[in-house]
Amino acid sequence: MVSSILKKITGTERHSADAATADSTLNIHYSKTSTLNDEIQELPKLHTRDSFGNSDSESLETIVSLREIDEKKDGNVETTNGDLEDDNDDDIDFPEGGLRAWIVVFGCFLGLTACFGLLNTIGVIETHIQSHQLSNESSQVIGWVFSIFLFICFSSCIFSGTYFDRNGFKVPMIIGSACQVGGLFGVANSTKIWHFFLSLSVLSGFGNGIIMSPLVSAPSHYFKKRRGTATAVATMGGSLGGTIFPIILRKFFKMENKNNPDDINYGFIWGVRIIAFINLGLLIMSIILAKERIVMETKLKEGEPKWKSIIRVYILQSFDSKAFLDMKYFFAVAGTVFAEISLNSAVTYYGSYCTSIGISDSDAYTMIMTMNLCGIPGRYVPGYLSDHLGRFNISIWTLTSLGILMFVGWLPFGTSLTSMYVISALYGFFSGSIYSLLPVCIGQISKTEEFGKRYATMYVVVAFGTLIGIPITGAIIGNESNANYKHYIIFCGVMSLAGAACFVISRSYCVGLKLKKF
């Protein structure tokens, strides 16, 4: 824009025959240029990294294009292809592909195999320790171990999300990887309830949460139009991990110590250790391959010491409370909370439900493996469709389908081995989009450079939801009677449909109730 103005100033006006007209035109262009320069001064400084990782400030023309205020009205903006974009979307140039971008996606895929793979395997761990190490504890007490694990996992996103936006990918990944892997080695040797609280709930939960925000956020720095597909491909790693890890654990759980037959935890110890070693390798590769592209510069107040700035930015301002004044964001977060409660409650006690209807432990692990295996197309297909049909539209469809499945399929027919295999496959497909597509919906109504912070803020709220949701589910199951397990299915189904309803409301704030791509 500025370059075209300068060309007009130095070209067209130079050849004008009327000097008075030329001076007048020159003054008009000078006024426009001054106005644009004033607007540029108000912009936050963004730094991008090119395909070779070099950091630089954005060009003047790119920044000016972000502030073409006279061409956009307040609220939503109708684009040339008919799609409705939210005014929070920026116009930074995105590669939308290329070797560097897909290497980053692959690096995040490896990292999320470890991160979401662990989340998708907690049902296997819960089923085993409930009948072995913690057989003397009630389901409610054991439920608190996994509830606190998920709470710390989701709430710790707030620190890494803010740090990632301002400093990049590697530091939170290194810290989180060390905590997650170290915690798993502790889990392997745990035999008492407080052992599992410290190793699994606190240490592994904190580490898993720290790596989650960078791994989910990094692909959004390279994709905008194809963000749904890119994020879906990255999060497919969680389904892969959730498929492979139960197979590994099932094999090891059957192992016996020939030198000490009384050591009933021998297989569990080495199974969890192997998972820890695998995660260590995956996370190291992720740290090497993935990196950020857009970094938001931290503004220092005049005369403010650096340590105060760190506390202000990374602790006091890390939770974006003002974002909840935006009703689009508020209801999207509420929908994600309900969806996560439904998913985590169902997955945590899924193995226990299977064994309660007479399915063996081995087949119960296979059910969880089937669920996660079908989650691979369940993440990719909705992600791909979302880029063509709208991210909110597909999210609403998958959450509604998941709720219907629980009420129409699982509740009346989930009583035999064959039916549970079918239900596991369908549940895995429809639930896959919760991890992959709901964060993309948040990204659609957020600026790219603020996505990490907004994503982390959302999952702090999710953390409190799961903190109370899983113990409530454990209390509903109670004495593990058939009737109580029916109530457990109903609870999970209601939460899924409530999530879909919230996304409908969020979408209505953006585009109303029109049937169109959004």
Side-chain angles (χ1 to χ4, degrees):
M1 183 181 289
V2 175
S3 62
S4 64
I5 291 172
L6 293 177
K7 286 179 181 178
K8 289 182 180 180
I9 294 173
T10 58
T12 304
E13 283 72 23
R14 184 185 300 165
H15 297 292
S16 175
D18 188 354
T21 304
D23 290 341
S24 176
T25 305
L26 194 68
N27 288 335
I28 292 172
H29 284 298
Y30 175 78
S31 175
K32 287 184 177 181
T33 306
S34 300
T35 302
L36 288 168
N37 285 333
D38 291 340
E39 292 175 355
I40 292 168
Q41 297 300 321
E42 298 175 0
L43 284 171
K45 292 185 179 180
L46 297 177
H47 299 288
T48 61
R49 303 185 188 276
D50 60 24
S51 59
F52 298 98
N54 299 318
S55 178
D56 197 2
S57 298
E58 294 184 336
S59 66
L60 181 63
E61 292 186 13
T62 301
I63 298 178
V64 171
S65 70
L66 292 173
R67 297 301 297 259
E68 290 177 343
I69 299 175
D70 56 324
E71 298 179 7
K72 292 185 177 182
K73 297 179 181 180
D74 291 336
N76 296 321
V77 182
E78 191 77 29
T79 59
T80 56
N81 63 0
D83 298 338
L84 201 69
E85 287 187 3
D86 192 88
D87 62 346
N88 283 326
D89 269 339
D90 46 55
D91 294 326
I92 301 171
D93 289 333
F94 291 85
E96 299 293 349
L99 181 61
R100 175 72 259 179
W102 287 111
I103 286 176
V104 169
V105 171
F106 180 65
C108 293
F109 171 89
L110 296 177
L112 289 172
T113 300
C115 177
F116 286 164
L118 178 60
L119 286 174
N120 290 333
T121 311
I122 60 174
V124 174
I125 298 175
E126 189 275 338
T127 302
H128 183 85
I129 66 175
Q130 183 169 328
S131 59
H132 292 80
Q133 289 96 325
L134 303 182
S135 58
N136 294 326
E137 302 288 348
S138 66
S139 60
Q140 293 97 318
V141 173
I142 297 173
W144 277 106
V145 173
F146 298 93
S147 177
I148 294 176
F149 165 77
L150 292 170
F151 172 76
I152 295 177
C153 178
F154 292 140
S155 62
S156 58
C157 288
I158 195 73
F159 304 110
S160 59
T162 305
Y163 189 93
F164 170 80
D165 286 338
R166 290 168 171 78
N167 300 280
F169 184 84
K170 283 187 168 50
V171 173
M173 282 297 299
I174 292 171
I175 295 173
S177 299
C179 292
Q180 195 235 48
V181 173
L184 286 177
F185 280 112
V187 171
N189 293 287
S190 297
T191 56
K192 300 181 184 299
I193 189 73
W194 65 271
H195 294 170
F196 287 100
F197 270 119
L198 292 179
S199 59
L200 179 63
S201 303
V202 178
L203 192 55
S204 283
F206 178 77
N208 220 48
I210 290 294
I211 64 178
M212 190 184 297
S213 283
L215 290 170
V216 174
S217 303
S220 67
H221 285 199
Y222 296 83
F223 297 87
K224 182 179 180 181
K225 294 180 181 178
R226 303 172 66 189
R227 188 174 292 173
T229 301
T231 305
V233 171
T235 57
M236 280 166 59
S239 293
L240 181 63
T243 302
I244 295 173
F245 292 170
I247 296 175
I248 295 172
L249 291 175
R250 184 178 66 175
K251 294 293 185 183
F252 275 91
F253 287 169
K254 294 179 180 179
M255 290 178 58
E256 295 181 359
N257 188 346
K258 295 180 180 179
N259 297 325
N260 184 11
D262 294 332
D263 185 6
I264 60 174
N265 295 326
Y266 179 78
F268 178 86
I269 292 172
W270 280 105
V272 176
R273 284 177 181 173
I274 293 299
I275 299 298
F277 280 120
I278 293 173
N279 282 3
L280 178 61
L282 291 170
L283 292 169
I284 289 174
M285 290 298 298
S286 179
I287 292 169
I288 294 172
L289 295 176
K291 69 189 312 178
E292 74 288 346
R293 176 175 166 267
I294 303 169
V295 179
M296 183 168 58
E297 184 177 352
T298 302
K299 293 183 179 180
L300 296 175
K301 293 183 179 179
E302 186 176 353
E304 182 182 39
K306 187 174 181 179
W307 67 270
K308 284 188 176 181
S309 174
I310 292 173
I311 294 175
R312 174 175 59 85
V313 172
Y314 296 109
I315 298 179
L316 300 180
Q317 295 181 356
S318 59
F319 186 82
D320 193 1
S321 58
K322 292 182 180 179
F324 292 101
L325 298 176
D326 179 3
M327 290 295 101
K328 300 186 295 293
Y329 180 77
F330 176 84
F331 281 103
V333 170
T336 305
V337 171
F338 287 127
E340 290 281 2
I341 291 175
S342 174
L343 175 63
N344 291 311
S345 296
V347 170
T348 300
Y349 293 102
Y350 197 80
S352 298
Y353 172 83
C354 291
T355 56
S356 73
I357 60 173
I359 296 174
S360 67
D361 286 350
S362 178
D363 285 327
Y365 300 150
T366 306
M367 298 286 181
I368 296 173
M369 180 196 72
T370 302
M371 184 189 299
N372 289 312
L373 183 63
C374 293
I376 295 176
R379 292 171 194 255
Y380 179 78
V381 174
Y384 177 81
L385 292 176
S386 72
D387 289 335
H388 298 276
L389 302 177
R391 292 149 190 169
F392 275 76
N393 295 341
I394 299 301
S395 295
I396 293 167
W397 170 68
T398 54
L399 288 174
T400 303
S401 300
L402 188 62
I404 293 172
L405 171 67
M406 284 188 268
F407 282 110
V408 177
W410 188 2
L411 185 61
F413 301 111
T415 55
S416 66
L417 181 64
T418 303
S419 63
M420 285 307 299
Y421 269 115
V422 175
I423 292 167
S424 298
L426 292 174
Y427 188 94
F429 179 84
F430 288 118
S431 65
S433 65
I434 293 178
Y435 284 138
S436 63
L437 199 52
L438 301 193
V440 179
C441 292
I442 297 299
Q444 183 168 337
I445 57 176
S446 305
K447 293 181 180 179
T448 299
E449 70 272 15
E450 294 177 351
F451 175 66
K453 182 178 180 179
R454 279 196 159 198
Y455 174 85
T457 299
M458 174 180 72
Y459 269 97
V460 168
V461 182
V462 169
F464 282 97
T466 54
L467 180 65
I468 62 174
I470 293 180
I472 288 175
T473 309
I476 290 172
I477 294 173
N479 60 4
E480 303 181 22
S481 66
N482 183 61
N484 287 348
Y485 272 115
K486 295 287 186 183
H487 298 154
Y488 146 74
I489 298 170
I490 293 171
F491 174 75
C492 294
V494 169
M495 291 294 101
S496 181
L497 293 177
C502 287
F503 272 95
V504 170
I505 297 172
S506 176
R507 182 187 183 279
S508 70
Y509 274 101
C510 299
V511 296
L513 298 177
K514 303 173 185 176
L515 292 176
K516 64 182 302 177
K517 175 183 176 182
F518 187 77

